[in-house]
Amino acid sequence: MAAIEMLATGYGLIEGPRCDASGRLYFSDVQRGGVYCRSTDGSIETVVPKRRGVGGIALHAEGGIVISGRNVCHVKDGETRIVFALEDTPGFNDLFTDARGRVYVGSMRSDPFRDGPRQPGELYRIDAEGKATELYGDVSLSNGIGFSPDGTRLYHSDSARNHVIVHDVTPDAGCRNRRVFAKTPRGFPDGLAVDAEGYVWVAAYGGGCVTRFAPDGAVDRHLEVPAKSVTSLSFGGEQLRDLFIVSADHTDDPDLGGCLFRVRAEVPGLEAPLARV
């Protein structure tokens, strides 16, 4: 693969990278707050000010973005519409969309930044505003979510248990046959992205790399990243071959904080469907 290029620095814990058709890249700063957008000329603007805990971002078919946090909401032109909320949970983390534009999001019932016993969360499928289905539970620390190229497999990182689980997706969009897909040999699994060959790229938080797993769960390769706390990644850009990687630090210069990187991939990624909820 080509050399990794650094696109932005100076953030806290960056999450949720998502690139639109024009090459604009959205990302969030979980701890310091805010959702940002980097244009192709390198300029960065604030899209959603101050909001903390945004672990996932999806583009919406009617414009704007769907973001997680204390609830799941659609933000467009500065206006916020709550799509889904739960009274008894601190919030939601990573999210992704299926071919019909439904949003899949993981709940968090324990503070992800505190040690000690955790209350497991769930994965929800949001079918429409205010309408969601719990697909399964027992996810200790919910992170990256993604589908196989044919949509028949759903991958989901559980960082606290150091594994990525996978379910078969049923014709009615349910999930069955839960099993462990892979364990990260370095660090803990965080965000993930699937490429056109069905390989699963997983950000290794604490491992200083992104690990590419074959469809059978075997390690294919490690992509070294100049950050120890690699948090998430996604494909975008020309031919979906730009792999955007984000972090919470930089190994060579701690003063740089969370960073945004880009590397040209040999295999294109899968296009993330637009949200329609």
Side-chain angles (χ1 to χ4, degrees):
M1 296 183 70
I4 290 183
E5 175 187 7
M6 189 161 61
L7 300 180
T9 66
Y11 295 89
L13 192 158
I14 304 180
E15 275 282 12
R18 188 68 63 208
C19 191
D20 68 15
S22 64
R24 289 160 43 95
L25 182 71
Y26 295 85
F27 62 95
S28 67
D29 191 328
V30 171
Q31 292 177 303
R32 297 181 184 176
V35 177
Y36 305 90
C37 182
R38 181 188 185 275
S39 298
T40 54
D41 63 3
S43 62
I44 297 176
E45 63 176 313
T46 302
V47 179
V48 183
K50 299 181 180 180
R51 181 175 172 111
R52 297 189 182 193
V54 177
I57 300 172
L59 305 174
H60 199 281
E62 297 179 3
I65 55 176
V66 174
I67 57 177
S68 63
R70 60 186 178 276
N71 52 43
V72 179
C73 64
H74 175 206
V75 181
K76 179 183 178 183
D77 300 328
E79 298 294 325
T80 299
R81 173 177 62 92
I82 296 176
V83 176
F84 180 55
L86 290 172
E87 294 183 357
D88 58 346
T89 181
F92 301 90
N93 199 19
D94 215 335
L95 56 77
F96 200 69
T97 47
D98 67 10
R100 290 177 53 182
R102 296 172 294 195
V103 175
Y104 294 67
V105 63
S107 66
M108 293 192 300
R109 298 190 177 275
S110 298
D111 187 333
F113 302 108
R114 291 183 180 177
D115 295 328
R118 300 191 57 80
Q119 181 180 354
E122 305 83 27
L123 183 79
Y124 291 89
R125 185 190 69 232
I126 306 173
D127 302 303
E129 183 177 325
K131 181 181 178 182
T133 301
E134 179 183 331
L135 297 179
Y136 54 81
D138 196 27
V139 181
S140 187
L141 177 50
S142 178
N143 259 300
I145 300 166
F147 289 92
S148 61
D150 61 4
T152 62
R153 283 182 163 194
L154 176 64
Y155 301 99
H156 192 172
S157 292
D158 187 338
S159 302
R161 290 175 176 153
N162 193 25
H163 62 212
V164 178
I165 59 174
V166 62
H167 287 80
D168 296 324
V169 180
T170 62
D172 62 352
C175 291
R176 63 177 179 83
N177 192 21
R178 179 183 184 138
R179 59 215 183 265
V180 173
F181 167 70
K183 293 189 176 184
T184 47
R186 295 167 54 179
F188 302 91
D190 204 320
L192 64 79
V194 183
D195 67 26
E197 293 181 347
Y199 284 64
V200 183
W201 299 71
V202 180
Y205 188 90
C209 69
V210 171
T211 302
R212 186 184 191 233
F213 293 95
D216 64 358
V219 173
D220 174 70
R221 74 184 73 164
H222 298 295
L223 170 63
E224 303 296 329
V225 179
K228 186 173 180 63
S229 301
V230 185
T231 55
S232 192
L233 70 164
S234 67
F235 288 93
E238 186 180 357
Q239 299 176 331
L240 293 173
R241 286 183 52 215
D242 283 337
L243 181 61
F244 296 98
I245 304 169
V246 294
S247 75
D249 63 2
H250 192 287
T251 49
D252 297 331
D253 186 352
D255 291 336
L256 292 178
C259 299
L260 170 61
F261 304 97
R262 176 174 60 192
V263 63
R264 193 69 173 162
E266 299 169 1
V267 178
L270 298 176
E271 186 172 6
L274 299 176
R276 299 181 183 276
V277 297

